[in-house]
Amino acid sequence: MVAGVQLASYLDDMTTPNLAITPAAASRVAAIAARQGKAAILRLSVDGGGCSGFQYKFGLADAADADDSTAECDGVTLVVDSVSLDLVQGARVDFVESLGGAAFRVDNPQAASGCGCGSSFAI
């Protein structure tokens, strides 16, 4: 039976999306959600367009949908729909502040290239 448990654990690992949200991004989402009186749920989706072919889209969600994949950090949930998941599998969402401004950034291992602003990418 141990082999069956190990196999089940291995299969779970294979189907669990590798998504992450950093503490900096979680803190920013929590602050925005508190100001707007919403749940601390950040939805990341991918749309066609942008200067590189695909673009990231962020928004606060009221709840996760049944087919969403999720990641959590510090009480904040990152949700990604099943269609977008193929394009962001393994991604990490961060919040960065620099002289040029502040923005959510996606470190996406699926992206072969991206634009200078970091909001669009190509596979």
Side-chain angles (χ1 to χ4, degrees):
M1 215 47 187
V2 172
V5 171
Q6 288 174 340
L7 177 60
S9 176
Y10 174 76
L11 291 175
D12 286 344
D13 289 344
M14 293 295 291
T15 59
T16 301
N18 184 14
L19 297 171
I21 181 168
T22 66
S27 176
R28 184 63 174 180
V29 170
I32 293 169
R35 275 196 304 257
Q36 294 184 7
K38 294 190 171 195
I41 301 172
L42 178 66
R43 176 168 298 281
L44 168 62
S45 59
V46 176
D47 287 338
C51 51
S52 294
F54 295 103
Q55 60 187 3
Y56 300 112
K57 183 177 172 185
F58 292 100
L60 291 179
D62 294 324
D65 294 334
D67 68 339
D68 284 341
S69 295
T70 63
E72 294 186 29
C73 178
D74 298 337
V76 173
T77 303
L78 170 67
V79 296
V80 177
D81 64 89
S82 60
V83 174
S84 298
L85 183 61
D86 285 341
L87 299 170
V88 296
Q89 184 86 19
R92 181 177 66 100
V93 176
D94 195 10
F95 182 76
V96 294
E97 295 183 76
S98 67
L99 291 175
F104 288 102
R105 297 281 181 198
V106 180
D107 179 15
N108 184 356
Q110 303 296 324
S113 64
C115 66
C117 67
S119 65
S120 69
F121 67 102
I123 300 264

